[in-house]
Amino acid sequence: MTASDQLEQPSKWVRALDKTGITRGGPPSNGPLYEKRKSVHNKRIDGPFRRFKWLVMVVTLAIYYITPWLRWDRGPYAPDQAVLIDLANRRFYMFDIEIWPHEFYFVAGMLIMAGIGLFLVTSAVGRAWCGYACPQTVWTDLFQHVDRFIDGDRNARMRLDKAPWGPSKIARRGGKWGIYLLISLVTGGAWILYFADAQTLFVEFFTGTASPVAYMTVAVLTGTTFWLGGFMREQVCIYMCPWPRIQAAMLDEQSLIVTYKDWRGEQRGSLKKAQKELEKYGDCIDCRECIAVCPTGIDIREGQQVGCITCALCIDACDRVMKDIGRPRGLIDYATLDQCEAEAAGAPAMPAWKALLRPRTFIYFGIWGAIGTAMLFALGTRSHTGLTVSPDRNPPFMLMKDGSVRNAYTLRLRNMEGRPRDMEIALSGLPRGAVMWTDRIGRDEAAATQKIAVPADETRVVRAYVTIPAGSSADQFTFELTSLDEQREQDAEPTTFAMPGGN
Amino acid sequence: MADKNRVDEPTGTELVGHEWDGIEELNTPLPRWWLWTFYATIAWSVVYVVLYPAWPMVSQATEGVLGWSSRGALADEMTAADMARVSTFERIAVTDITKLSADPELMGQAIAGGAAAFKQHCVQCHGAGAAGYEEYGYPNLNDDDWIWGGEIGDIEYTLTHGIRWEGSDQTRISYMPAFEGIFEREQVDALVGHVLSLSGNGSSNAVGAELYAANCVACHQASGEGDQLQGAPALNDAIWLYGNSEASIRQQILAPRHGAMPGWSDKLDPVTIRMLAAYVHSRGGGEDTAQDAPIAETSEQEAAQQEVSGAEGDDRL
Ligand code: SF4
Ligand code: SF4
């Protein structure tokens, strides 16, 4: 669509969303089989959005690299790493929270919250995730700064690209790829520190004593970071990542997106031309700054497209141009499609933040907050002991020499605290004379209650034999568990007692 | 066919020139790396076909130059697993069986190994839960009634030499004489009554007591507690190998059934037999050493596995 087409047609912004809009302009059909990747050499830009991007980058990378080194005292029986995914012992530690495998619903809850959080953010400010927080974006951005640092800004890089290979180009490229590799290594290396004690693993890693899987993980992550961040870059966002397609489906006419206001910009013309014929030309002076700064190399003036990650660098660029030529900012701006249409029809501009206040965002936020509150409540009130009982079903009962009847049970006593605790198991609801003994104590010590020591942070599995004397009979009864400490936490598990001659 | 180099107006993209019902195809070629990745996968598949078994032939697939096969890989893994177990096996082999329970960890491994062997060799007669079958006289291994002794060493001996098993001259043999044709019917009735009274199930009578004293005491003892040395079952408890109905006891007096158990010394290695003994002993009915025979600290995971395999074994016959 040419610019003049766009002017003639009614400003149908919604139509812009329909465009598949993969970056245009391939080779002619009788050209080669593939499309050559066009290198993107985005230009340095400064502005509020760029600074925000810096901030997000620094904060996210800092969190990522520093977190494994944080310590958290959990006493002598548990690891002291603040955030640790202990796969071997199947525990997830996060500061004061310790998640056991049977509490996996907390992790599920966090994932649901993350999902709804993304709905919330996307419905409010479009693909902000893509533009600021996505790891691919963050590392690509970092690598682009390395490019700038080694090779210089856009023009210098373009020149270097075209230059023949010589000692200086080889040195520059080698040095640059070396830095890529270093960053990638740190990235891959930091990942494994989340899965084992960071200090130990760090030393082991460099003394060659870490496990092969650690080296393999680091190798794979280093390789992918190097390749995806250093070379694939926007190609990942455009061709590989399914997320833009999904996210696009969450947008509607009231989501904030980066848009070029064509009714204001068109018809484009150079500054010179525009000055000559004020009426004919719009605000866009066709300086192509917005294209030069774009990390994915697209032209936002063509409308919404899959290549746009909503990083708003083009807003920074265009705002600066508008300032220089003495026009109001916001030719490219965060705006909703509805708002654009209204503005095009002559309505006054509306501050972008107002777009955040609408039922959809409130509903998402409400759901998100409700789940978060429920999880916090559940975390705060959960018990640190637990008992599960599984009766032996084969054989269900045993007749003993003296006529007494015995049932066997497998008890699992959970101690979710970082210290060993004694627990008491008592029988309740069985006839007089019922006793139990376990595989840990002698049969001659059979009694109606038993004390069992449970190690710190462990589940102790105990086989218990419950016997009722000859002549009595039983049906349902309960194992009652009490922790023998000041908390005296309790749990009870009803079960059945099988008797000869059926139930 | 449309002109090849025509450009699609709204998108500014070339058309390839194909048209179906007015729908035309835009020329949006793949990126180069994508195409290369595709070629690389083709190249890789060729390499793979050469290296690994790939083409199905009439009876077998092509072998591949690496000589790899899933069967061979499995064999390697099994060997590795066997090697990993060797030290445990050796320790079980050299440990005095009565001292096995002093090492909870080793005992735990022995029990686990025995449980696996039991599922393979023993469930056919003794049932998946080792509860036996009264109607056939396969003894229950969970209870505390042992004809030949329930200490772990006794169990190992029985497993090794069997009961009335021709394969070993040290097999355990007990013999209950048949009184068919020797006792009158009334005498048998009286004897049945007396035998039942030994376990508190009926009243004794003079005739029965007299017959018992004359014929049975040598093996079953005066009060019917039996004799494990001779393999004479106790008659004064609640457990009956063939049931405690009058008919069953009568049959056992007139024409006794004699169960047999194969000795396993010719099929299983001594360590497996020892592990089986540990497992049977740990079922809750083992004598003496049972008291200090803890199951090794079972981790949650192992317990879960045991639970799973236990659940499989639960499909009762
Ligand atoms: S930066 Fe602004 S003025 Fe320059 S081309 Fe882009 S939209 Fe037009
Ligand atoms: S078009 Fe603008 S917002 Fe979109 S990716 Fe490019 S610079 Fe970022």
Side-chain angles (χ1 to χ4, degrees), chain A residues 1 24 29 35 232 235 394-395 398 401 406 412 439 443 459-460, chain B residues 10-11 27 30 32-33 129 140 142 144 238 284 286 294 297 314:
Chain A
M1 177 192 319
R24 289 209 209 94
S29 55
E35 183 176 36
M232 296 307 287
Q235 306 256 304
N394 189 9
M398 204 47 52
K401 268 202 298 206
R406 193 186 77 202
R412 289 196 172 77
D439 54 359
R443 200 184 309 179
T459 299
R460 169 156 270 187
Chain B
T11 63
N27 179 28
L30 291 171
R32 177 160 51 172
W33 59 266
N140 186 335
N142 298 280
D144 55 351
E297 311 268 312
D314 259 351

PDB file of all heavy atoms in Angstrom, chain A residues 1 24 29 35 232 235 394-395 398 401 406 412 439 443 459-460, chain B residues 10-11 27 30 32-33 129 140 142 144 238 284 286 294 297 314:
ATOM      1  N   MET A   1       0.844  -1.185   0.000  1.00  0.00           N
ATOM      2  CA  MET A   1       0.000   0.000   0.000  1.00  0.00           C
ATOM      3  C   MET A   1       0.882   1.239   0.000  1.00  0.00           C
ATOM      4  O   MET A   1       1.774   1.374   0.819  1.00  0.00           O
ATOM      5  CB  MET A   1      -0.864  -0.039   1.270  1.00  0.00           C
ATOM      6  CG  MET A   1      -1.729   1.152   1.420  1.00  0.00           C
ATOM      7  SD  MET A   1      -2.396   1.161   3.088  1.00  0.00           S
ATOM      8  CE  MET A   1      -2.778  -0.550   3.332  1.00  0.00           C
ATOM      9  N   ARG A  24       8.590  -6.863   4.716  1.00  0.00           N
ATOM     10  CA  ARG A  24       8.361  -7.048   3.289  1.00  0.00           C
ATOM     11  C   ARG A  24       9.565  -6.939   2.428  1.00  0.00           C
ATOM     12  O   ARG A  24      10.645  -6.548   2.849  1.00  0.00           O
ATOM     13  CB  ARG A  24       7.397  -5.983   2.848  1.00  0.00           C
ATOM     14  CG  ARG A  24       6.114  -6.361   3.436  1.00  0.00           C
ATOM     15  CD  ARG A  24       5.019  -5.927   2.655  1.00  0.00           C
ATOM     16  NE  ARG A  24       4.012  -5.755   3.668  1.00  0.00           N
ATOM     17  CZ  ARG A  24       3.813  -4.607   4.222  1.00  0.00           C
ATOM     18  NH1 ARG A  24       4.464  -3.554   3.828  1.00  0.00           N
ATOM     19  NH2 ARG A  24       2.939  -4.519   5.146  1.00  0.00           N
ATOM     20  N   SER A  29      10.580 -13.268  -7.729  1.00  0.00           N
ATOM     21  CA  SER A  29      10.279 -14.699  -7.648  1.00  0.00           C
ATOM     22  C   SER A  29      11.235 -15.549  -8.472  1.00  0.00           C
ATOM     23  O   SER A  29      11.382 -16.727  -8.219  1.00  0.00           O
ATOM     24  CB  SER A  29       8.854 -14.937  -8.107  1.00  0.00           C
ATOM     25  OG  SER A  29       8.699 -14.388  -9.393  1.00  0.00           O
ATOM     26  N   GLU A  35      15.310 -16.256   1.056  1.00  0.00           N
ATOM     27  CA  GLU A  35      15.425 -14.818   1.251  1.00  0.00           C
ATOM     28  C   GLU A  35      16.646 -14.551   2.112  1.00  0.00           C
ATOM     29  O   GLU A  35      16.781 -15.101   3.204  1.00  0.00           O
ATOM     30  CB  GLU A  35      14.177 -14.283   1.942  1.00  0.00           C
ATOM     31  CG  GLU A  35      14.224 -12.791   2.102  1.00  0.00           C
ATOM     32  CD  GLU A  35      12.934 -12.261   2.697  1.00  0.00           C
ATOM     33  OE1 GLU A  35      12.338 -12.928   3.563  1.00  0.00           O
ATOM     34  OE2 GLU A  35      12.529 -11.165   2.302  1.00  0.00           O
ATOM     35  N   MET A 232      20.953 -14.705  15.317  1.00  0.00           N
ATOM     36  CA  MET A 232      19.584 -14.852  14.826  1.00  0.00           C
ATOM     37  C   MET A 232      18.726 -13.626  15.157  1.00  0.00           C
ATOM     38  O   MET A 232      17.932 -13.181  14.362  1.00  0.00           O
ATOM     39  CB  MET A 232      18.937 -16.107  15.412  1.00  0.00           C
ATOM     40  CG  MET A 232      19.610 -17.388  14.977  1.00  0.00           C
ATOM     41  SD  MET A 232      19.736 -17.484  13.195  1.00  0.00           S
ATOM     42  CE  MET A 232      18.028 -17.793  12.800  1.00  0.00           C
ATOM     43  N   GLN A 235      15.232 -12.565  13.889  1.00  0.00           N
ATOM     44  CA  GLN A 235      14.692 -13.718  13.169  1.00  0.00           C
ATOM     45  C   GLN A 235      13.958 -14.662  14.126  1.00  0.00           C
ATOM     46  O   GLN A 235      13.004 -15.330  13.757  1.00  0.00           O
ATOM     47  CB  GLN A 235      15.827 -14.476  12.496  1.00  0.00           C
ATOM     48  CG  GLN A 235      16.674 -13.606  11.608  1.00  0.00           C
ATOM     49  CD  GLN A 235      16.378 -13.833  10.150  1.00  0.00           C
ATOM     50  OE1 GLN A 235      16.450 -14.938   9.666  1.00  0.00           O
ATOM     51  NE2 GLN A 235      15.996 -12.792   9.483  1.00  0.00           N
ATOM     52  N   ASN A 394      -2.935 -56.799  50.079  1.00  0.00           N
ATOM     53  CA  ASN A 394      -2.637 -58.154  49.662  1.00  0.00           C
ATOM     54  C   ASN A 394      -1.585 -58.752  50.571  1.00  0.00           C
ATOM     55  O   ASN A 394      -0.428 -58.477  50.383  1.00  0.00           O
ATOM     56  CB  ASN A 394      -2.149 -58.140  48.208  1.00  0.00           C
ATOM     57  CG  ASN A 394      -2.030 -59.532  47.659  1.00  0.00           C
ATOM     58  OD1 ASN A 394      -2.454 -60.493  48.281  1.00  0.00           O
ATOM     59  ND2 ASN A 394      -1.424 -59.641  46.500  1.00  0.00           N
ATOM     60  N   PRO A 395      -1.889 -59.553  51.539  1.00  0.00           N
ATOM     61  CA  PRO A 395      -3.249 -59.909  51.933  1.00  0.00           C
ATOM     62  C   PRO A 395      -3.840 -58.797  52.785  1.00  0.00           C
ATOM     63  O   PRO A 395      -3.101 -58.084  53.437  1.00  0.00           O
ATOM     64  CB  PRO A 395      -3.039 -61.177  52.763  1.00  0.00           C
ATOM     65  CG  PRO A 395      -1.661 -61.021  53.322  1.00  0.00           C
ATOM     66  CD  PRO A 395      -0.874 -60.251  52.327  1.00  0.00           C
ATOM     67  N   MET A 398      -4.388 -60.718  58.400  1.00  0.00           N
ATOM     68  CA  MET A 398      -3.622 -61.889  58.733  1.00  0.00           C
ATOM     69  C   MET A 398      -4.142 -62.461  60.037  1.00  0.00           C
ATOM     70  O   MET A 398      -4.230 -61.744  61.034  1.00  0.00           O
ATOM     71  CB  MET A 398      -2.161 -61.470  58.885  1.00  0.00           C
ATOM     72  CG  MET A 398      -1.207 -62.564  58.674  1.00  0.00           C
ATOM     73  SD  MET A 398      -1.616 -63.485  57.205  1.00  0.00           S
ATOM     74  CE  MET A 398      -1.739 -62.148  56.033  1.00  0.00           C
ATOM     75  N   LYS A 401      -1.508 -66.987  65.107  1.00  0.00           N
ATOM     76  CA  LYS A 401      -1.616 -68.244  65.857  1.00  0.00           C
ATOM     77  C   LYS A 401      -2.582 -68.152  67.015  1.00  0.00           C
ATOM     78  O   LYS A 401      -3.379 -69.057  67.255  1.00  0.00           O
ATOM     79  CB  LYS A 401      -0.224 -68.596  66.425  1.00  0.00           C
ATOM     80  CG  LYS A 401       0.571 -69.476  65.522  1.00  0.00           C
ATOM     81  CD  LYS A 401       1.636 -70.220  66.282  1.00  0.00           C
ATOM     82  CE  LYS A 401       2.657 -69.326  66.931  1.00  0.00           C
ATOM     83  NZ  LYS A 401       3.965 -70.007  67.125  1.00  0.00           N
ATOM     84  N   ARG A 406      -4.275 -59.344  62.385  1.00  0.00           N
ATOM     85  CA  ARG A 406      -3.306 -58.293  62.141  1.00  0.00           C
ATOM     86  C   ARG A 406      -3.530 -57.687  60.761  1.00  0.00           C
ATOM     87  O   ARG A 406      -3.820 -58.406  59.807  1.00  0.00           O
ATOM     88  CB  ARG A 406      -1.903 -58.881  62.208  1.00  0.00           C
ATOM     89  CG  ARG A 406      -0.806 -57.857  62.270  1.00  0.00           C
ATOM     90  CD  ARG A 406       0.549 -58.534  62.197  1.00  0.00           C
ATOM     91  NE  ARG A 406       0.817 -58.920  60.826  1.00  0.00           N
ATOM     92  CZ  ARG A 406       1.666 -59.873  60.467  1.00  0.00           C
ATOM     93  NH1 ARG A 406       2.302 -60.570  61.365  1.00  0.00           N
ATOM     94  NH2 ARG A 406       1.852 -60.155  59.197  1.00  0.00           N
ATOM     95  N   ARG A 412       3.369 -42.924  55.908  1.00  0.00           N
ATOM     96  CA  ARG A 412       4.369 -41.937  55.493  1.00  0.00           C
ATOM     97  C   ARG A 412       4.248 -40.734  56.404  1.00  0.00           C
ATOM     98  O   ARG A 412       3.232 -40.045  56.387  1.00  0.00           O
ATOM     99  CB  ARG A 412       4.143 -41.511  54.055  1.00  0.00           C
ATOM    100  CG  ARG A 412       4.473 -42.585  53.095  1.00  0.00           C
ATOM    101  CD  ARG A 412       4.635 -42.074  51.672  1.00  0.00           C
ATOM    102  NE  ARG A 412       5.134 -43.191  50.907  1.00  0.00           N
ATOM    103  CZ  ARG A 412       4.369 -44.204  50.506  1.00  0.00           C
ATOM    104  NH1 ARG A 412       3.079 -44.190  50.768  1.00  0.00           N
ATOM    105  NH2 ARG A 412       4.894 -45.217  49.863  1.00  0.00           N
ATOM    106  N   ASP A 439       8.189 -51.750  61.805  1.00  0.00           N
ATOM    107  CA  ASP A 439       9.419 -52.429  61.421  1.00  0.00           C
ATOM    108  C   ASP A 439      10.631 -51.810  62.097  1.00  0.00           C
ATOM    109  O   ASP A 439      11.738 -52.240  61.914  1.00  0.00           O
ATOM    110  CB  ASP A 439       9.578 -52.398  59.897  1.00  0.00           C
ATOM    111  CG  ASP A 439       9.482 -50.995  59.348  1.00  0.00           C
ATOM    112  OD1 ASP A 439       9.283 -50.053  60.141  1.00  0.00           O
ATOM    113  OD2 ASP A 439       9.600 -50.837  58.131  1.00  0.00           O
ATOM    114  N   ARG A 443       8.596 -56.440  68.124  1.00  0.00           N
ATOM    115  CA  ARG A 443       7.212 -56.832  68.270  1.00  0.00           C
ATOM    116  C   ARG A 443       6.823 -56.863  69.743  1.00  0.00           C
ATOM    117  O   ARG A 443       5.673 -56.659  70.092  1.00  0.00           O
ATOM    118  CB  ARG A 443       7.029 -58.228  67.669  1.00  0.00           C
ATOM    119  CG  ARG A 443       5.612 -58.557  67.321  1.00  0.00           C
ATOM    120  CD  ARG A 443       5.496 -59.962  66.832  1.00  0.00           C
ATOM    121  NE  ARG A 443       6.472 -60.249  65.775  1.00  0.00           N
ATOM    122  CZ  ARG A 443       6.577 -61.435  65.187  1.00  0.00           C
ATOM    123  NH1 ARG A 443       5.789 -62.420  65.532  1.00  0.00           N
ATOM    124  NH2 ARG A 443       7.473 -61.638  64.253  1.00  0.00           N
ATOM    125  N   THR A 459      10.497 -37.491  54.551  1.00  0.00           N
ATOM    126  CA  THR A 459       9.329 -38.322  54.755  1.00  0.00           C
ATOM    127  C   THR A 459       9.823 -39.661  55.224  1.00  0.00           C
ATOM    128  O   THR A 459      10.628 -40.290  54.554  1.00  0.00           O
ATOM    129  CB  THR A 459       8.564 -38.492  53.448  1.00  0.00           C
ATOM    130  OG1 THR A 459       8.143 -37.220  52.988  1.00  0.00           O
ATOM    131  CG2 THR A 459       7.340 -39.357  53.647  1.00  0.00           C
ATOM    132  N   ARG A 460       9.395 -40.074  56.371  1.00  0.00           N
ATOM    133  CA  ARG A 460       9.829 -41.385  56.842  1.00  0.00           C
ATOM    134  C   ARG A 460       8.740 -42.388  56.514  1.00  0.00           C
ATOM    135  O   ARG A 460       7.559 -42.182  56.806  1.00  0.00           O
ATOM    136  CB  ARG A 460      10.090 -41.351  58.339  1.00  0.00           C
ATOM    137  CG  ARG A 460      10.285 -42.731  58.909  1.00  0.00           C
ATOM    138  CD  ARG A 460      11.076 -42.699  60.182  1.00  0.00           C
ATOM    139  NE  ARG A 460      12.497 -42.821  59.876  1.00  0.00           N
ATOM    140  CZ  ARG A 460      13.427 -42.966  60.806  1.00  0.00           C
ATOM    141  NH1 ARG A 460      13.089 -42.982  62.077  1.00  0.00           N
ATOM    142  NH2 ARG A 460      14.694 -43.084  60.479  1.00  0.00           N
TER     143      ARG A 460
ATOM    144  N   PRO B  10      -1.887  -4.509  -2.637  1.00  0.00           N
ATOM    145  CA  PRO B  10      -1.996  -4.110  -1.227  1.00  0.00           C
ATOM    146  C   PRO B  10      -0.736  -4.384  -0.426  1.00  0.00           C
ATOM    147  O   PRO B  10      -0.417  -3.672   0.514  1.00  0.00           O
ATOM    148  CB  PRO B  10      -3.144  -4.973  -0.696  1.00  0.00           C
ATOM    149  CG  PRO B  10      -3.860  -5.458  -1.893  1.00  0.00           C
ATOM    150  CD  PRO B  10      -2.879  -5.506  -3.015  1.00  0.00           C
ATOM    151  N   THR B  11      -0.007  -5.436  -0.726  1.00  0.00           N
ATOM    152  CA  THR B  11       1.136  -5.756   0.120  1.00  0.00           C
ATOM    153  C   THR B  11       2.458  -5.403  -0.522  1.00  0.00           C
ATOM    154  O   THR B  11       3.494  -5.423   0.139  1.00  0.00           O
ATOM    155  CB  THR B  11       1.170  -7.261   0.450  1.00  0.00           C
ATOM    156  OG1 THR B  11       1.344  -7.979  -0.776  1.00  0.00           O
ATOM    157  CG2 THR B  11      -0.085  -7.711   1.141  1.00  0.00           C
ATOM    158  N   ASN B  27       4.841 -14.394  -3.196  1.00  0.00           N
ATOM    159  CA  ASN B  27       6.181 -14.956  -3.103  1.00  0.00           C
ATOM    160  C   ASN B  27       6.860 -14.451  -1.828  1.00  0.00           C
ATOM    161  O   ASN B  27       7.353 -13.343  -1.765  1.00  0.00           O
ATOM    162  CB  ASN B  27       6.998 -14.558  -4.324  1.00  0.00           C
ATOM    163  CG  ASN B  27       8.410 -15.110  -4.229  1.00  0.00           C
ATOM    164  OD1 ASN B  27       8.612 -16.147  -3.597  1.00  0.00           O
ATOM    165  ND2 ASN B  27       9.342 -14.429  -4.845  1.00  0.00           N
ATOM    166  N   LEU B  30      11.533 -18.444   2.088  1.00  0.00           N
ATOM    167  CA  LEU B  30      12.057 -18.745   3.426  1.00  0.00           C
ATOM    168  C   LEU B  30      13.360 -17.987   3.632  1.00  0.00           C
ATOM    169  O   LEU B  30      14.078 -17.711   2.686  1.00  0.00           O
ATOM    170  CB  LEU B  30      12.377 -20.229   3.525  1.00  0.00           C
ATOM    171  CG  LEU B  30      11.217 -21.191   3.512  1.00  0.00           C
ATOM    172  CD1 LEU B  30      11.738 -22.601   3.386  1.00  0.00           C
ATOM    173  CD2 LEU B  30      10.426 -21.041   4.785  1.00  0.00           C
ATOM    174  N   ARG B  32      17.250 -17.765   4.545  1.00  0.00           N
ATOM    175  CA  ARG B  32      18.294 -18.680   4.110  1.00  0.00           C
ATOM    176  C   ARG B  32      18.640 -19.724   5.175  1.00  0.00           C
ATOM    177  O   ARG B  32      18.797 -20.882   4.893  1.00  0.00           O
ATOM    178  CB  ARG B  32      19.549 -17.866   3.756  1.00  0.00           C
ATOM    179  CG  ARG B  32      20.703 -18.747   3.351  1.00  0.00           C
ATOM    180  CD  ARG B  32      21.703 -17.979   2.575  1.00  0.00           C
ATOM    181  NE  ARG B  32      22.091 -16.759   3.264  1.00  0.00           N
ATOM    182  CZ  ARG B  32      23.083 -15.974   2.858  1.00  0.00           C
ATOM    183  NH1 ARG B  32      23.761 -16.288   1.771  1.00  0.00           N
ATOM    184  NH2 ARG B  32      23.379 -14.886   3.507  1.00  0.00           N
ATOM    185  N   TRP B  33      18.722 -19.236   6.414  1.00  0.00           N
ATOM    186  CA  TRP B  33      19.115 -20.202   7.453  1.00  0.00           C
ATOM    187  C   TRP B  33      18.096 -21.315   7.570  1.00  0.00           C
ATOM    188  O   TRP B  33      18.399 -22.464   7.880  1.00  0.00           O
ATOM    189  CB  TRP B  33      19.306 -19.504   8.799  1.00  0.00           C
ATOM    190  CG  TRP B  33      18.086 -18.771   9.314  1.00  0.00           C
ATOM    191  CD1 TRP B  33      17.799 -17.468   9.137  1.00  0.00           C
ATOM    192  CD2 TRP B  33      17.007 -19.320  10.058  1.00  0.00           C
ATOM    193  NE1 TRP B  33      16.610 -17.146   9.720  1.00  0.00           N
ATOM    194  CE2 TRP B  33      16.095 -18.268  10.304  1.00  0.00           C
ATOM    195  CE3 TRP B  33      16.707 -20.580  10.559  1.00  0.00           C
ATOM    196  CZ2 TRP B  33      14.918 -18.444  11.017  1.00  0.00           C
ATOM    197  CZ3 TRP B  33      15.522 -20.759  11.269  1.00  0.00           C
ATOM    198  CH2 TRP B  33      14.639 -19.697  11.483  1.00  0.00           C
ATOM    199  N   GLY B 129       0.606 -61.685  47.541  1.00  0.00           N
ATOM    200  CA  GLY B 129       0.806 -61.108  48.862  1.00  0.00           C
ATOM    201  C   GLY B 129       1.408 -62.105  49.829  1.00  0.00           C
ATOM    202  O   GLY B 129       1.431 -61.884  51.019  1.00  0.00           O
ATOM    203  N   ASN B 140       0.576 -69.787  54.281  1.00  0.00           N
ATOM    204  CA  ASN B 140       0.627 -68.331  54.362  1.00  0.00           C
ATOM    205  C   ASN B 140       1.978 -67.936  54.969  1.00  0.00           C
ATOM    206  O   ASN B 140       2.354 -68.447  56.010  1.00  0.00           O
ATOM    207  CB  ASN B 140      -0.526 -67.888  55.269  1.00  0.00           C
ATOM    208  CG  ASN B 140      -0.672 -66.387  55.318  1.00  0.00           C
ATOM    209  OD1 ASN B 140       0.274 -65.660  55.080  1.00  0.00           O
ATOM    210  ND2 ASN B 140      -1.869 -65.941  55.652  1.00  0.00           N
ATOM    211  N   ASN B 142       2.818 -64.823  55.812  1.00  0.00           N
ATOM    212  CA  ASN B 142       2.736 -63.599  56.592  1.00  0.00           C
ATOM    213  C   ASN B 142       2.480 -63.863  58.066  1.00  0.00           C
ATOM    214  O   ASN B 142       2.737 -63.013  58.902  1.00  0.00           O
ATOM    215  CB  ASN B 142       1.597 -62.710  56.088  1.00  0.00           C
ATOM    216  CG  ASN B 142       1.802 -62.283  54.657  1.00  0.00           C
ATOM    217  OD1 ASN B 142       2.554 -61.371  54.391  1.00  0.00           O
ATOM    218  ND2 ASN B 142       1.152 -62.963  53.723  1.00  0.00           N
ATOM    219  N   ASP B 144       2.408 -66.063  61.806  1.00  0.00           N
ATOM    220  CA  ASP B 144       3.500 -66.427  62.703  1.00  0.00           C
ATOM    221  C   ASP B 144       3.508 -67.915  63.015  1.00  0.00           C
ATOM    222  O   ASP B 144       4.022 -68.337  64.026  1.00  0.00           O
ATOM    223  CB  ASP B 144       3.401 -65.605  63.987  1.00  0.00           C
ATOM    224  CG  ASP B 144       2.034 -65.748  64.650  1.00  0.00           C
ATOM    225  OD1 ASP B 144       1.128 -66.342  64.023  1.00  0.00           O
ATOM    226  OD2 ASP B 144       1.879 -65.261  65.774  1.00  0.00           O
ATOM    227  N   ALA B 238      -4.692 -71.078  65.946  1.00  0.00           N
ATOM    228  CA  ALA B 238      -5.824 -70.690  65.097  1.00  0.00           C
ATOM    229  C   ALA B 238      -5.547 -70.914  63.611  1.00  0.00           C
ATOM    230  O   ALA B 238      -6.390 -70.629  62.774  1.00  0.00           O
ATOM    231  CB  ALA B 238      -6.144 -69.212  65.340  1.00  0.00           C
ATOM    232  N   GLY B 284       6.435 -59.931  58.340  1.00  0.00           N
ATOM    233  CA  GLY B 284       5.746 -59.600  59.584  1.00  0.00           C
ATOM    234  C   GLY B 284       5.557 -60.805  60.473  1.00  0.00           C
ATOM    235  O   GLY B 284       5.195 -60.679  61.630  1.00  0.00           O
ATOM    236  N   GLY B 286       8.008 -63.396  60.655  1.00  0.00           N
ATOM    237  CA  GLY B 286       9.284 -64.051  60.946  1.00  0.00           C
ATOM    238  C   GLY B 286       9.557 -64.128  62.439  1.00  0.00           C
ATOM    239  O   GLY B 286       9.112 -63.285  63.208  1.00  0.00           O
ATOM    240  N   PRO B 294      14.688 -54.209  60.827  1.00  0.00           N
ATOM    241  CA  PRO B 294      13.982 -53.072  60.241  1.00  0.00           C
ATOM    242  C   PRO B 294      14.137 -53.039  58.726  1.00  0.00           C
ATOM    243  O   PRO B 294      15.150 -53.501  58.206  1.00  0.00           O
ATOM    244  CB  PRO B 294      14.687 -51.870  60.863  1.00  0.00           C
ATOM    245  CG  PRO B 294      16.049 -52.361  61.197  1.00  0.00           C
ATOM    246  CD  PRO B 294      15.966 -53.841  61.397  1.00  0.00           C
ATOM    247  N   GLU B 297      15.871 -47.535  55.809  1.00  0.00           N
ATOM    248  CA  GLU B 297      15.284 -46.232  55.564  1.00  0.00           C
ATOM    249  C   GLU B 297      14.846 -46.160  54.107  1.00  0.00           C
ATOM    250  O   GLU B 297      15.677 -46.202  53.220  1.00  0.00           O
ATOM    251  CB  GLU B 297      16.334 -45.150  55.782  1.00  0.00           C
ATOM    252  CG  GLU B 297      17.084 -45.278  57.074  1.00  0.00           C
ATOM    253  CD  GLU B 297      16.435 -44.493  58.172  1.00  0.00           C
ATOM    254  OE1 GLU B 297      16.126 -43.329  57.910  1.00  0.00           O
ATOM    255  OE2 GLU B 297      16.211 -45.052  59.257  1.00  0.00           O
ATOM    256  N   ASP B 314      -0.951 -56.711  43.227  1.00  0.00           N
ATOM    257  CA  ASP B 314      -2.225 -56.815  43.916  1.00  0.00           C
ATOM    258  C   ASP B 314      -3.343 -57.448  43.105  1.00  0.00           C
ATOM    259  O   ASP B 314      -4.389 -57.755  43.648  1.00  0.00           O
ATOM    260  CB  ASP B 314      -2.684 -55.428  44.348  1.00  0.00           C
ATOM    261  CG  ASP B 314      -2.405 -55.229  45.811  1.00  0.00           C
ATOM    262  OD1 ASP B 314      -2.024 -56.217  46.454  1.00  0.00           O
ATOM    263  OD2 ASP B 314      -2.576 -54.113  46.279  1.00  0.00           O
TER     264      ASP B 314
END
